[in-house]
Structures are given as structure tokens and as C-alpha cells.
Amino acid sequence: GENVEQHPSTLSVQEGDSAVIKCTYSDSASNYFPWYKQELGKRPQLIIDIRSNVGEKKDQRIAVTLNKTAKHFSLHITETQPEDSAVYFCAASMGNAGGTSYGKLTFGQGTILTVHP
Amino acid sequence: GAVVSQHPSRVICKSGTSVKIECRSLDFQATTMFWYRQFPKQSLMLMATSNEGSKATYEQGVEKDKFLINHASLTLSTLTVTSAHPEDSSFYICSATDLAKNIQYFGAGTRLSVL
């Protein structure tokens, strides 16, 4: 099955700096890569996702890049703020037949991001 | 607002009892829902895929007779932890995919504590 590795496990930055979290996946059939932010005791919240037909996607301070050949994808957060502090998870999924729906997610181990004021 | 509702949010029970957790998609139909377990400071581990109108698909190592899943309608899946033991204490989270948006939404989770 799919295996997703995520690094680093912890990341500490100063407010205003950038943060980068990297993930690799093992199954070349995976075609959907979401990133979730989870605050303590709460549900994971989707912050950005990318599908295998694009190499980069950006949403304000957050961007994700995908390298299908190398089977890795990264989350970039610019101008970090203390409220960005949380656990971030990457995930990979194979779409169902026809690619119109997305199936079970395999999660990375998570990165604890701490943004110091 | 939340598009996937999960109840209860917290359960404390005695060892040997059974606990039922409900997961509902609020404004979309979900033929497939997923159940995850998350231990403290760890990642989400998929337990099973809940399929509407058919048997759930369990991940390797997950006991199907202990974690009973029922997906009786397009908006509701239930997970029953049977004969719970302290080692079953964990954070259980469900999710459902909104096919129209191709986004998987998570419930708020259920923290189970077995005494």
C-alpha cells in the first residue's frame, strides 16, 4: 500500500519567516495530495490540496508544490503568524475509477509547527 | 459551518462496555465514509472504509468484530467499539467525501476514554 513520509517532525520559526514541510510518497498511482492543519483536540482542516495534473498551487500565504517524478510534495507557508502554530499533516490518495472522487487517505506523520512572536 | 457531524465528542466508559459513535454528512450524500484513530501526538491511522449498503473494508490489523461499522444511509455511518478496553482509548475521527467538490471533510472527533 501507500506510504507517506513527512519531515520535519517539528519546526520552529520566528513570526514573519517562511516554513517548509516536505512529504514523499511511494505509490505512483496516487494522484491527490491534501494538506491538513490540526489544532490540539480538533478536527483536521483542509488548507490546500493539489492534484497530479498540476505542479504548483498557491492560496495567499500557502503554496504546495508537487514533483511526480520524484514522488514528493511540499507545503510552503510564507509570512508565518503565531496562529499558524499547529500540527500539519500531508496525505496522499488514489482517486477512484475515473478520477472523479478521492478515496482513502494515507497520512504522513505530522509536523508540529511553532511560530514564535 | 461543519459539513460532517460526529457524536458524541467525548465518551468515558467502563471496561467491557460498548460505545457507538455516529458520523453524519450534513449537506451532501456520502456513499463512502472513513474511520480513523489517532493516538496522542501521532498521525491519523485509517481503520476502515465504510460503504453505504455493503460491508465495511477494514485495514490490516483492525479487528472487524471489535470495531463494528454500519453505513445504513447515504448520510450516516456508525462505529461501535465493542467490549471496550483501556487500550481502545483514543481519538476517533470520521470523514466523508463530498464528491461534488472532491473534498474530504472530517468530523470533530470523539475522544474515548475506557476506564
Side-chain angles (χ1 to χ4, degrees):
Chain A
E2 176 64 278
N3 182 51
V4 178
E5 296 288 332
Q6 182 173 346
H7 298 280
S9 56
T10 60
L11 181 59
S12 183
V13 300
Q14 288 296 126
E15 182 176 3
D17 288 349
S18 295
V20 180
I21 303 171
K22 299 181 178 182
C23 288
T24 60
Y25 61 99
S26 61
D27 195 329
S28 56
S30 289
N31 56 15
Y32 175 61
F33 308 93
W35 285 88
Y36 289 88
K37 175 183 180 182
Q38 187 181 30
E39 297 179 356
L40 188 63
K42 297 190 176 180
R43 77 184 80 202
Q45 297 274 11
L46 179 70
I47 57 171
I48 197 167
D49 58 11
I50 192 167
R51 293 175 171 86
S52 60
N53 57 342
V54 298
E56 184 173 357
K57 184 177 179 180
K58 188 174 182 180
D59 182 5
Q60 299 182 345
R61 296 187 296 110
I62 297 173
V64 57
T65 59
L66 171 65
N67 183 326
K68 287 178 58 180
T69 302
K71 294 206 282 282
H72 66 70
F73 55 113
S74 300
L75 176 72
H76 304 252
I77 305 174
T78 59
E79 301 173 32
T80 54
Q81 301 166 3
E83 49 266 39
D84 294 330
S85 298
V87 181
Y88 290 80
F89 291 99
C90 64
S93 174
M94 284 178 276
N96 291 343
T100 56
S101 63
Y102 294 89
K104 61 182 183 180
L105 296 170
T106 301
F107 283 85
Q109 295 84 351
T111 297
I112 302 172
L113 174 64
T114 304
V115 181
H116 299 283
Chain B
V3 294
V4 174
S5 174
Q6 184 174 344
H7 292 282
S9 59
R10 180 75 191 264
V11 179
I12 301 173
C13 68
K14 293 182 179 180
S15 185
T17 59
S18 294
V19 175
K20 180 185 282 189
I21 304 170
E22 292 189 347
C23 182
R24 295 179 185 272
S25 56
L26 298 182
D27 56 3
F28 64 95
Q29 293 181 332
T31 55
T32 303
M33 294 185 179
F34 302 94
W35 288 96
Y36 296 85
R37 181 166 54 185
Q38 186 177 34
F39 291 108
K41 298 185 178 181
Q42 294 189 22
S43 187
L44 288 83
M45 297 299 295
L46 180 67
M47 298 175 64
T49 302
S50 174
N51 305 299
E52 189 269 334
S54 64
K55 293 182 179 180
T57 305
Y58 290 82
E59 296 300 300
Q60 191 173 10
V62 178
E63 299 177 60
K64 62 179 182 180
D65 293 331
K66 181 168 185 62
F67 299 100
L68 300 179
I69 292 172
N70 186 291
H71 195 149
S73 77
L74 288 170
T75 59
L76 173 64
S77 175
T78 61
L79 169 68
T80 301
V81 183
T82 62
S83 186
H85 291 285
E87 57 265 31
D88 298 324
S89 299
S90 187
F91 192 51
Y92 293 86
I93 310 178
C94 69
S95 71
T97 301
D98 184 341
L99 295 179
K101 299 178 180 178
N102 282 333
I103 293 176
Q104 191 167 138
Y105 294 101
F106 285 83
T110 298
R111 185 160 302 283
L112 173 63
S113 300
V114 185
L115 306 178

Short mmCIF file of all heavy atoms in Angstrom, two decimals, chain A residues 23-82:
data_model
loop_
_atom_site.label_atom_id
_atom_site.label_comp_id
_atom_site.label_asym_id
_atom_site.label_seq_id
_atom_site.Cartn_x
_atom_site.Cartn_y
_atom_site.Cartn_z
N CYS A 23 7.02 16.12 2.03
CA CYS A 23 6.49 14.76 2.10
C CYS A 23 6.89 13.97 0.86
O CYS A 23 6.99 14.55 -0.24
CB CYS A 23 4.97 14.76 2.21
SG CYS A 23 4.37 15.33 3.83
N THR A 24 7.11 12.70 1.05
CA THR A 24 7.34 11.80 -0.07
C THR A 24 6.30 10.69 -0.01
O THR A 24 5.81 10.35 1.07
CB THR A 24 8.75 11.18 -0.04
OG1 THR A 24 8.89 10.43 1.18
CG2 THR A 24 9.82 12.26 -0.09
N TYR A 25 5.96 10.16 -1.16
CA TYR A 25 5.02 9.07 -1.20
C TYR A 25 5.59 7.94 -2.04
O TYR A 25 6.52 8.14 -2.81
CB TYR A 25 3.66 9.54 -1.74
CG TYR A 25 3.66 10.10 -3.14
CD1 TYR A 25 3.28 9.32 -4.23
CD2 TYR A 25 4.04 11.41 -3.39
CE1 TYR A 25 3.27 9.82 -5.52
CE2 TYR A 25 4.04 11.93 -4.68
CZ TYR A 25 3.65 11.14 -5.73
OH TYR A 25 3.65 11.64 -7.02
N SER A 26 5.01 6.76 -1.89
CA SER A 26 5.63 5.59 -2.51
C SER A 26 4.87 5.10 -3.74
O SER A 26 5.49 4.53 -4.65
CB SER A 26 5.72 4.45 -1.49
OG SER A 26 4.41 4.08 -1.05
N ASP A 27 3.57 5.31 -3.78
CA ASP A 27 2.76 4.73 -4.85
C ASP A 27 2.54 5.75 -5.98
O ASP A 27 1.89 6.77 -5.78
CB ASP A 27 1.42 4.26 -4.29
CG ASP A 27 0.68 3.33 -5.23
OD1 ASP A 27 0.84 3.50 -6.46
OD2 ASP A 27 -0.04 2.46 -4.75
N SER A 28 3.08 5.45 -7.12
CA SER A 28 2.96 6.38 -8.25
C SER A 28 1.52 6.54 -8.73
O SER A 28 1.22 7.45 -9.51
CB SER A 28 3.84 5.90 -9.41
OG SER A 28 3.49 4.57 -9.78
N ALA A 29 0.63 5.66 -8.28
CA ALA A 29 -0.78 5.79 -8.67
C ALA A 29 -1.51 6.87 -7.86
O ALA A 29 -2.61 7.29 -8.23
CB ALA A 29 -1.49 4.45 -8.49
N SER A 30 -0.92 7.33 -6.79
CA SER A 30 -1.55 8.40 -6.01
C SER A 30 -1.65 9.66 -6.86
O SER A 30 -0.72 10.01 -7.60
CB SER A 30 -0.73 8.69 -4.74
OG SER A 30 -0.85 7.63 -3.83
N ASN A 31 -2.78 10.31 -6.76
CA ASN A 31 -2.99 11.48 -7.63
C ASN A 31 -3.64 12.66 -6.93
O ASN A 31 -4.03 13.64 -7.57
CB ASN A 31 -3.83 11.08 -8.86
CG ASN A 31 -5.16 10.46 -8.47
OD1 ASN A 31 -5.59 10.56 -7.33
ND2 ASN A 31 -5.80 9.79 -9.41
N TYR A 32 -3.80 12.57 -5.63
CA TYR A 32 -4.41 13.65 -4.88
C TYR A 32 -3.65 13.84 -3.58
O TYR A 32 -3.42 12.86 -2.85
CB TYR A 32 -5.88 13.34 -4.60
CG TYR A 32 -6.59 14.35 -3.72
CD1 TYR A 32 -6.71 15.67 -4.13
CD2 TYR A 32 -7.13 14.00 -2.50
CE1 TYR A 32 -7.35 16.60 -3.34
CE2 TYR A 32 -7.77 14.92 -1.70
CZ TYR A 32 -7.89 16.22 -2.13
OH TYR A 32 -8.53 17.15 -1.35
N PHE A 33 -3.24 15.09 -3.29
CA PHE A 33 -2.35 15.34 -2.18
C PHE A 33 -2.85 16.55 -1.38
O PHE A 33 -2.53 17.70 -1.69
CB PHE A 33 -0.92 15.59 -2.69
CG PHE A 33 -0.45 14.50 -3.62
CD1 PHE A 33 -0.60 14.62 -4.99
CD2 PHE A 33 0.14 13.34 -3.11
CE1 PHE A 33 -0.19 13.61 -5.85
CE2 PHE A 33 0.57 12.34 -3.96
CZ PHE A 33 0.40 12.46 -5.32
N PRO A 34 -3.61 16.28 -0.33
CA PRO A 34 -4.11 17.38 0.51
C PRO A 34 -3.18 17.63 1.69
O PRO A 34 -2.43 16.76 2.12
CB PRO A 34 -5.46 16.85 0.99
CG PRO A 34 -5.25 15.36 1.07
CD PRO A 34 -4.26 15.01 -0.02
N TRP A 35 -3.29 18.83 2.21
CA TRP A 35 -2.60 19.21 3.44
C TRP A 35 -3.65 19.64 4.46
O TRP A 35 -4.56 20.41 4.14
CB TRP A 35 -1.63 20.37 3.20
CG TRP A 35 -0.39 19.96 2.48
CD1 TRP A 35 -0.19 19.91 1.13
CD2 TRP A 35 0.85 19.55 3.06
NE1 TRP A 35 1.08 19.50 0.84
CE2 TRP A 35 1.75 19.27 2.01
CE3 TRP A 35 1.30 19.40 4.38
CZ2 TRP A 35 3.06 18.85 2.22
CZ3 TRP A 35 2.61 18.99 4.60
CH2 TRP A 35 3.46 18.72 3.52
N TYR A 36 -3.48 19.13 5.68
CA TYR A 36 -4.42 19.45 6.74
C TYR A 36 -3.71 20.12 7.90
O TYR A 36 -2.55 19.80 8.20
CB TYR A 36 -5.12 18.19 7.25
CG TYR A 36 -6.11 17.59 6.29
CD1 TYR A 36 -5.71 16.67 5.33
CD2 TYR A 36 -7.45 17.96 6.32
CE1 TYR A 36 -6.62 16.12 4.43
CE2 TYR A 36 -8.37 17.41 5.43
CZ TYR A 36 -7.95 16.50 4.49
OH TYR A 36 -8.86 15.97 3.61
N LYS A 37 -4.41 21.02 8.54
CA LYS A 37 -3.93 21.68 9.76
C LYS A 37 -4.81 21.20 10.90
O LYS A 37 -6.04 21.22 10.80
CB LYS A 37 -4.05 23.20 9.61
CG LYS A 37 -3.71 24.00 10.84
CD LYS A 37 -3.94 25.49 10.60
CE LYS A 37 -3.61 26.33 11.83
NZ LYS A 37 -3.88 27.78 11.60
N GLN A 38 -4.18 20.74 11.97
CA GLN A 38 -4.95 20.25 13.09
C GLN A 38 -4.49 20.93 14.37
O GLN A 38 -3.31 20.82 14.75
CB GLN A 38 -4.82 18.72 13.24
CG GLN A 38 -5.74 18.15 14.31
CD GLN A 38 -5.60 16.64 14.46
OE1 GLN A 38 -4.55 16.07 14.23
NE2 GLN A 38 -6.68 15.98 14.86
N GLU A 39 -5.39 21.60 15.02
CA GLU A 39 -5.12 22.16 16.33
C GLU A 39 -5.47 21.13 17.39
O GLU A 39 -6.26 20.22 17.15
CB GLU A 39 -5.90 23.46 16.50
CG GLU A 39 -5.47 24.52 15.48
CD GLU A 39 -6.24 25.81 15.59
OE1 GLU A 39 -7.17 25.88 16.42
OE2 GLU A 39 -5.91 26.75 14.87
N LEU A 40 -4.89 21.28 18.54
CA LEU A 40 -4.98 20.28 19.59
C LEU A 40 -6.43 19.91 19.91
O LEU A 40 -7.25 20.78 20.23
CB LEU A 40 -4.28 20.78 20.85
CG LEU A 40 -4.12 19.77 21.98
CD1 LEU A 40 -3.25 18.60 21.53
CD2 LEU A 40 -3.54 20.43 23.22
N GLY A 41 -6.74 18.63 19.78
CA GLY A 41 -8.07 18.14 20.13
C GLY A 41 -9.17 18.46 19.13
O GLY A 41 -10.34 18.23 19.41
N LYS A 42 -8.76 18.99 17.97
CA LYS A 42 -9.78 19.38 16.99
C LYS A 42 -9.64 18.58 15.70
O LYS A 42 -8.71 17.81 15.53
CB LYS A 42 -9.69 20.88 16.73
CG LYS A 42 -9.98 21.72 17.96
CD LYS A 42 -10.12 23.18 17.64
CE LYS A 42 -10.51 23.96 18.88
NZ LYS A 42 -10.66 25.41 18.60
N ARG A 43 -10.60 18.79 14.83
CA ARG A 43 -10.59 18.06 13.57
C ARG A 43 -9.53 18.61 12.63
O ARG A 43 -9.19 19.79 12.67
CB ARG A 43 -11.97 18.16 12.90
CG ARG A 43 -12.24 19.50 12.20
CD ARG A 43 -13.64 19.56 11.64
NE ARG A 43 -14.61 19.88 12.67
CZ ARG A 43 -15.89 19.59 12.60
NH1 ARG A 43 -16.38 18.96 11.54
NH2 ARG A 43 -16.72 19.92 13.57
N PRO A 44 -9.00 17.77 11.75
CA PRO A 44 -8.10 18.27 10.71
C PRO A 44 -8.88 19.17 9.75
O PRO A 44 -10.00 18.84 9.35
CB PRO A 44 -7.63 17.00 10.00
CG PRO A 44 -7.90 15.90 10.97
CD PRO A 44 -9.13 16.31 11.72
N GLN A 45 -8.29 20.28 9.40
CA GLN A 45 -8.90 21.22 8.48
C GLN A 45 -8.07 21.27 7.20
O GLN A 45 -6.87 21.49 7.26
CB GLN A 45 -8.97 22.63 9.09
CG GLN A 45 -9.83 22.73 10.34
CD GLN A 45 -11.30 22.96 10.04
OE1 GLN A 45 -11.73 22.85 8.90
NE2 GLN A 45 -12.08 23.27 11.06
N LEU A 46 -8.74 21.09 6.07
CA LEU A 46 -8.04 21.16 4.79
C LEU A 46 -7.58 22.60 4.55
O LEU A 46 -8.37 23.53 4.62
CB LEU A 46 -8.98 20.73 3.67
CG LEU A 46 -8.41 20.78 2.26
CD1 LEU A 46 -7.35 19.69 2.07
CD2 LEU A 46 -9.51 20.62 1.22
N ILE A 47 -6.31 22.77 4.26
CA ILE A 47 -5.79 24.11 4.00
C ILE A 47 -5.44 24.31 2.53
O ILE A 47 -5.55 25.42 2.01
CB ILE A 47 -4.59 24.46 4.89
CG1 ILE A 47 -3.46 23.45 4.73
CG2 ILE A 47 -5.02 24.59 6.35
CD1 ILE A 47 -2.17 23.86 5.44
N ILE A 48 -5.03 23.27 1.87
CA ILE A 48 -4.73 23.35 0.46
C ILE A 48 -4.57 21.93 -0.07
O ILE A 48 -4.25 21.02 0.69
CB ILE A 48 -3.46 24.19 0.19
CG1 ILE A 48 -3.37 24.63 -1.28
CG2 ILE A 48 -2.20 23.46 0.61
CD1 ILE A 48 -2.33 25.70 -1.56
N ASP A 49 -4.81 21.74 -1.32
CA ASP A 49 -4.61 20.43 -1.92
C ASP A 49 -4.10 20.60 -3.35
O ASP A 49 -4.18 21.69 -3.93
CB ASP A 49 -5.89 19.58 -1.89
CG ASP A 49 -7.07 20.24 -2.61
OD1 ASP A 49 -6.87 21.25 -3.31
OD2 ASP A 49 -8.20 19.76 -2.44
N ILE A 50 -3.56 19.55 -3.88
CA ILE A 50 -3.06 19.59 -5.25
C ILE A 50 -3.33 18.24 -5.89
O ILE A 50 -3.24 17.20 -5.25
CB ILE A 50 -1.55 19.96 -5.28
CG1 ILE A 50 -1.11 20.28 -6.71
CG2 ILE A 50 -0.70 18.86 -4.67
CD1 ILE A 50 0.25 20.96 -6.78
N ARG A 51 -3.66 18.29 -7.16
CA ARG A 51 -3.89 17.06 -7.90
C ARG A 51 -2.76 16.86 -8.87
O ARG A 51 -2.04 17.79 -9.23
CB ARG A 51 -5.26 17.13 -8.57
CG ARG A 51 -6.38 17.12 -7.51
CD ARG A 51 -7.78 17.31 -8.07
NE ARG A 51 -8.79 17.07 -7.03
CZ ARG A 51 -9.23 17.98 -6.16
NH1 ARG A 51 -8.75 19.19 -6.21
NH2 ARG A 51 -10.13 17.66 -5.25
N SER A 52 -2.62 15.64 -9.33
CA SER A 52 -1.38 15.27 -10.02
C SER A 52 -1.24 15.90 -11.39
O SER A 52 -0.20 15.75 -12.02
CB SER A 52 -1.28 13.75 -10.14
OG SER A 52 -2.39 13.24 -10.86
N ASN A 53 -2.25 16.60 -11.85
CA ASN A 53 -2.13 17.22 -13.17
C ASN A 53 -1.55 18.64 -13.11
O ASN A 53 -1.44 19.31 -14.13
CB ASN A 53 -3.49 17.24 -13.87
CG ASN A 53 -4.55 17.94 -13.06
OD1 ASN A 53 -4.41 18.14 -11.86
ND2 ASN A 53 -5.64 18.33 -13.70
N VAL A 54 -1.19 19.08 -11.90
CA VAL A 54 -0.55 20.39 -11.76
C VAL A 54 0.70 20.25 -10.90
O VAL A 54 0.85 19.30 -10.15
CB VAL A 54 -1.50 21.44 -11.14
CG1 VAL A 54 -2.70 21.67 -12.04
CG2 VAL A 54 -1.93 21.00 -9.76
N GLY A 55 1.61 21.22 -11.05
CA GLY A 55 2.86 21.14 -10.31
C GLY A 55 2.91 22.08 -9.12
O GLY A 55 3.72 21.89 -8.22
N GLU A 56 2.03 23.09 -9.13
CA GLU A 56 2.08 24.06 -8.04
C GLU A 56 0.71 24.71 -7.89
O GLU A 56 -0.02 24.91 -8.87
CB GLU A 56 3.13 25.13 -8.34
CG GLU A 56 3.33 26.13 -7.21
CD GLU A 56 4.50 27.07 -7.47
OE1 GLU A 56 5.17 26.91 -8.49
OE2 GLU A 56 4.72 27.98 -6.64
N LYS A 57 0.41 25.04 -6.66
CA LYS A 57 -0.85 25.71 -6.37
C LYS A 57 -0.62 26.66 -5.21
O LYS A 57 0.09 26.33 -4.26
CB LYS A 57 -1.93 24.69 -6.00
CG LYS A 57 -3.31 25.26 -5.78
CD LYS A 57 -4.30 24.14 -5.50
CE LYS A 57 -5.69 24.64 -5.23
NZ LYS A 57 -6.63 23.51 -4.96
N LYS A 58 -1.21 27.84 -5.31
CA LYS A 58 -0.99 28.84 -4.28
C LYS A 58 -2.31 29.44 -3.82
O LYS A 58 -3.22 29.65 -4.61
CB LYS A 58 -0.08 29.95 -4.82
CG LYS A 58 0.37 30.95 -3.77
CD LYS A 58 1.39 31.92 -4.34
CE LYS A 58 1.87 32.89 -3.26
NZ LYS A 58 2.87 33.85 -3.79
N ASP A 59 -2.38 29.69 -2.51
CA ASP A 59 -3.56 30.33 -1.94
C ASP A 59 -3.07 31.29 -0.86
O ASP A 59 -2.77 30.90 0.25
CB ASP A 59 -4.51 29.29 -1.35
CG ASP A 59 -5.78 29.92 -0.79
OD1 ASP A 59 -5.97 31.14 -0.93
OD2 ASP A 59 -6.60 29.17 -0.21
N GLN A 60 -2.94 32.53 -1.23
CA GLN A 60 -2.46 33.58 -0.33
C GLN A 60 -1.09 33.22 0.21
O GLN A 60 -0.12 33.13 -0.56
CB GLN A 60 -3.49 33.84 0.77
CG GLN A 60 -4.83 34.32 0.22
CD GLN A 60 -5.85 34.63 1.30
OE1 GLN A 60 -5.71 34.26 2.46
NE2 GLN A 60 -6.90 35.34 0.92
N ARG A 61 -0.94 32.99 1.50
CA ARG A 61 0.37 32.72 2.08
C ARG A 61 0.79 31.25 1.99
O ARG A 61 1.89 30.89 2.41
CB ARG A 61 0.38 33.14 3.55
CG ARG A 61 0.18 34.62 3.79
CD ARG A 61 0.38 34.98 5.27
NE ARG A 61 -0.60 34.34 6.15
CZ ARG A 61 -0.30 33.37 7.00
NH1 ARG A 61 0.93 32.89 7.09
NH2 ARG A 61 -1.25 32.85 7.78
N ILE A 62 -0.08 30.43 1.46
CA ILE A 62 0.18 29.00 1.43
C ILE A 62 0.35 28.52 -0.01
O ILE A 62 -0.42 28.93 -0.89
CB ILE A 62 -0.98 28.24 2.10
CG1 ILE A 62 -1.06 28.62 3.58
CG2 ILE A 62 -0.79 26.73 1.97
CD1 ILE A 62 -2.27 28.05 4.27
N ALA A 63 1.33 27.68 -0.23
CA ALA A 63 1.55 27.11 -1.55
C ALA A 63 1.95 25.65 -1.39
O ALA A 63 2.53 25.25 -0.37
CB ALA A 63 2.64 27.87 -2.30
N VAL A 64 1.64 24.88 -2.40
CA VAL A 64 2.05 23.48 -2.41
C VAL A 64 2.67 23.19 -3.77
O VAL A 64 2.20 23.68 -4.80
CB VAL A 64 0.86 22.53 -2.13
CG1 VAL A 64 -0.27 22.75 -3.12
CG2 VAL A 64 1.31 21.09 -2.13
N THR A 65 3.75 22.45 -3.75
CA THR A 65 4.41 22.04 -4.99
C THR A 65 4.42 20.52 -5.06
O THR A 65 4.48 19.84 -4.03
CB THR A 65 5.85 22.57 -5.06
OG1 THR A 65 6.58 22.07 -3.93
CG2 THR A 65 5.87 24.08 -5.05
N LEU A 66 4.37 20.00 -6.26
CA LEU A 66 4.34 18.55 -6.47
C LEU A 66 5.34 18.17 -7.54
O LEU A 66 5.35 18.76 -8.63
CB LEU A 66 2.94 18.11 -6.89
CG LEU A 66 2.78 16.66 -7.37
CD1 LEU A 66 3.06 15.69 -6.22
CD2 LEU A 66 1.38 16.43 -7.93
N ASN A 67 6.16 17.20 -7.23
CA ASN A 67 7.10 16.63 -8.20
C ASN A 67 6.74 15.15 -8.36
O ASN A 67 7.10 14.32 -7.53
CB ASN A 67 8.54 16.79 -7.71
CG ASN A 67 9.56 16.30 -8.71
OD1 ASN A 67 9.31 15.32 -9.44
ND2 ASN A 67 10.70 16.96 -8.76
N LYS A 68 6.00 14.86 -9.41
CA LYS A 68 5.53 13.49 -9.61
C LYS A 68 6.66 12.52 -9.90
O LYS A 68 6.63 11.36 -9.49
CB LYS A 68 4.52 13.45 -10.75
CG LYS A 68 3.17 14.03 -10.44
CD LYS A 68 2.25 13.99 -11.64
CE LYS A 68 2.06 12.58 -12.17
NZ LYS A 68 1.16 12.54 -13.34
N THR A 69 7.66 13.00 -10.59
CA THR A 69 8.78 12.12 -10.95
C THR A 69 9.50 11.64 -9.71
O THR A 69 9.81 10.46 -9.55
CB THR A 69 9.75 12.85 -11.89
OG1 THR A 69 9.03 13.28 -13.06
CG2 THR A 69 10.89 11.94 -12.28
N ALA A 70 9.74 12.58 -8.81
CA ALA A 70 10.45 12.26 -7.58
C ALA A 70 9.50 11.76 -6.49
O ALA A 70 9.95 11.33 -5.43
CB ALA A 70 11.20 13.50 -7.08
N LYS A 71 8.22 11.86 -6.72
CA LYS A 71 7.20 11.46 -5.76
C LYS A 71 7.35 12.21 -4.44
O LYS A 71 7.43 11.61 -3.37
CB LYS A 71 7.20 9.94 -5.54
CG LYS A 71 6.79 9.15 -6.79
CD LYS A 71 6.20 7.81 -6.45
CE LYS A 71 7.26 6.80 -6.08
NZ LYS A 71 7.95 6.25 -7.28
N HIS A 72 7.45 13.53 -4.57
CA HIS A 72 7.42 14.31 -3.35
C HIS A 72 6.65 15.60 -3.55
O HIS A 72 6.51 16.10 -4.68
CB HIS A 72 8.81 14.54 -2.74
CG HIS A 72 9.72 15.39 -3.57
ND1 HIS A 72 9.54 16.74 -3.76
CD2 HIS A 72 10.87 15.07 -4.20
CE1 HIS A 72 10.53 17.21 -4.50
NE2 HIS A 72 11.34 16.23 -4.78
N PHE A 73 6.11 16.10 -2.46
CA PHE A 73 5.35 17.35 -2.48
C PHE A 73 5.62 18.12 -1.21
O PHE A 73 5.99 17.53 -0.18
CB PHE A 73 3.84 17.09 -2.68
CG PHE A 73 3.20 16.16 -1.69
CD1 PHE A 73 2.26 16.64 -0.78
CD2 PHE A 73 3.48 14.81 -1.68
CE1 PHE A 73 1.64 15.80 0.12
CE2 PHE A 73 2.87 13.95 -0.78
CZ PHE A 73 1.95 14.45 0.12
N SER A 74 5.50 19.41 -1.29
CA SER A 74 5.90 20.27 -0.19
C SER A 74 4.86 21.35 0.07
O SER A 74 4.19 21.82 -0.84
CB SER A 74 7.24 20.95 -0.49
OG SER A 74 8.25 19.99 -0.69
N LEU A 75 4.79 21.74 1.34
CA LEU A 75 3.93 22.84 1.77
C LEU A 75 4.82 24.02 2.12
O LEU A 75 5.80 23.86 2.84
CB LEU A 75 3.10 22.43 2.99
CG LEU A 75 2.23 23.53 3.60
CD1 LEU A 75 1.05 23.83 2.69
CD2 LEU A 75 1.73 23.09 4.99
N HIS A 76 4.46 25.18 1.60
CA HIS A 76 5.22 26.39 1.88
C HIS A 76 4.28 27.42 2.51
O HIS A 76 3.24 27.75 1.93
CB HIS A 76 5.79 26.98 0.59
CG HIS A 76 6.65 26.02 -0.19
ND1 HIS A 76 8.02 26.14 -0.27
CD2 HIS A 76 6.32 24.93 -0.92
CE1 HIS A 76 8.49 25.15 -1.02
NE2 HIS A 76 7.49 24.41 -1.43
N ILE A 77 4.67 27.89 3.67
CA ILE A 77 3.90 28.95 4.32
C ILE A 77 4.80 30.16 4.44
O ILE A 77 5.89 30.09 5.03
CB ILE A 77 3.41 28.54 5.73
CG1 ILE A 77 2.63 27.22 5.67
CG2 ILE A 77 2.55 29.64 6.34
CD1 ILE A 77 2.23 26.68 7.04
N THR A 78 4.38 31.26 3.86
CA THR A 78 5.18 32.49 3.94
C THR A 78 4.59 33.43 4.99
O THR A 78 3.42 33.30 5.38
CB THR A 78 5.22 33.20 2.58
OG1 THR A 78 3.87 33.50 2.19
CG2 THR A 78 5.86 32.32 1.52
N GLU A 79 5.42 34.36 5.43
CA GLU A 79 4.98 35.37 6.41
C GLU A 79 4.22 34.72 7.57
O GLU A 79 3.08 35.11 7.88
CB GLU A 79 4.13 36.42 5.72
CG GLU A 79 4.85 37.16 4.60
CD GLU A 79 3.92 38.08 3.82
OE1 GLU A 79 2.98 38.62 4.42
OE2 GLU A 79 4.12 38.22 2.60
N THR A 80 4.85 33.75 8.18
CA THR A 80 4.15 32.99 9.23
C THR A 80 3.68 33.88 10.37
O THR A 80 4.31 34.90 10.70
CB THR A 80 5.06 31.88 9.78
OG1 THR A 80 6.29 32.46 10.22
CG2 THR A 80 5.32 30.81 8.74
N GLN A 81 2.59 33.45 10.98
CA GLN A 81 1.98 34.16 12.09
C GLN A 81 1.79 33.18 13.25
O GLN A 81 1.67 31.97 13.02
CB GLN A 81 0.63 34.75 11.65
CG GLN A 81 0.75 35.70 10.48
CD GLN A 81 -0.60 36.01 9.83
OE1 GLN A 81 -1.65 35.54 10.29
NE2 GLN A 81 -0.57 36.80 8.77
N PRO A 82 1.73 33.68 14.47
CA PRO A 82 1.55 32.76 15.61
C PRO A 82 0.34 31.84 15.46
O PRO A 82 0.38 30.69 15.89
CB PRO A 82 1.40 33.72 16.79
CG PRO A 82 2.20 34.92 16.39
CD PRO A 82 1.97 35.06 14.90
#
